[in-house]
Amino acid sequence: QAQSTLQRLAQVLQQPVAQDYEVRVVGHTDAVRIANPQTRQRHPNNWYLSAHRAITVRDVLENAGIQPTRLGVAGYGEYRPVAQNDARGQSEANRRVEIYLVQMPGS
């Protein structure tokens, strides 16, 4: 479902009216420490995981035709929750990627 949504977003971003905007992709996690050793090899902590989530979305948008010069990524780990984590540090709402459109300098 996310793939098709990102494809539709890419179509909108390719329209002339959107050409003056850059796309900032921001990843987030809940507060659970990464326990799976295989996952931890790729994502040593939640900072990496959140950044890698954003990079994955950026890759989809670039592959859909958005110029790399219009794309940026950031990861905030567990430090910008939108919902309270439960006692184990979990909240599905905090495991997310946000996309911001920001007017490009000089536009």
Side-chain angles (χ1 to χ4, degrees), residues 31-66:
V32 175
R33 184 176 177 271
I34 298 168
N36 182 308
Q38 289 180 315
T39 303
R40 202 172 31 236
Q41 283 181 338
R42 291 192 61 223
H43 317 289
N45 57 47
N46 282 336
W47 283 106
Y48 284 84
L49 178 58
S50 64
H52 290 161
R53 282 182 176 155
I55 290 167
T56 299
V57 170
R58 186 209 63 87
D59 289 348
V60 171
L61 293 172
E62 184 177 351
N63 289 333
I66 305 304

Side-chain angles (χ1 to χ4, degrees), residues 3-24:
Q3 288 282 345
S4 65
T5 300
L6 291 171
Q7 294 295 326
R8 288 194 311 266
L9 175 61
Q11 290 173 351
V12 170
L13 293 171
Q14 291 170 345
Q15 300 301 311
V17 71
Q19 292 301 306
D20 291 337
Y21 292 90
E22 67 183 25
V23 183
R24 294 187 186 164

Side-chain angles (χ1 to χ4, degrees), residues 13 18-24 69-72 100-105:
L13 293 171
Q19 292 301 306
D20 291 337
Y21 292 90
E22 67 183 25
V23 183
R24 294 187 186 164
T69 56
R70 292 178 62 200
L71 297 167
Y100 298 93
L101 301 181
V102 179
Q103 191 158 15
M104 294 178 68

Side-chain angles (χ1 to χ4, degrees), residues 64-85:
I66 305 304
Q67 303 91 336
T69 56
R70 292 178 62 200
L71 297 167
V73 297
Y76 287 108
E78 69 252 32
Y79 298 106
R80 294 201 179 175
V82 294
Q84 185 170 350
N85 290 309

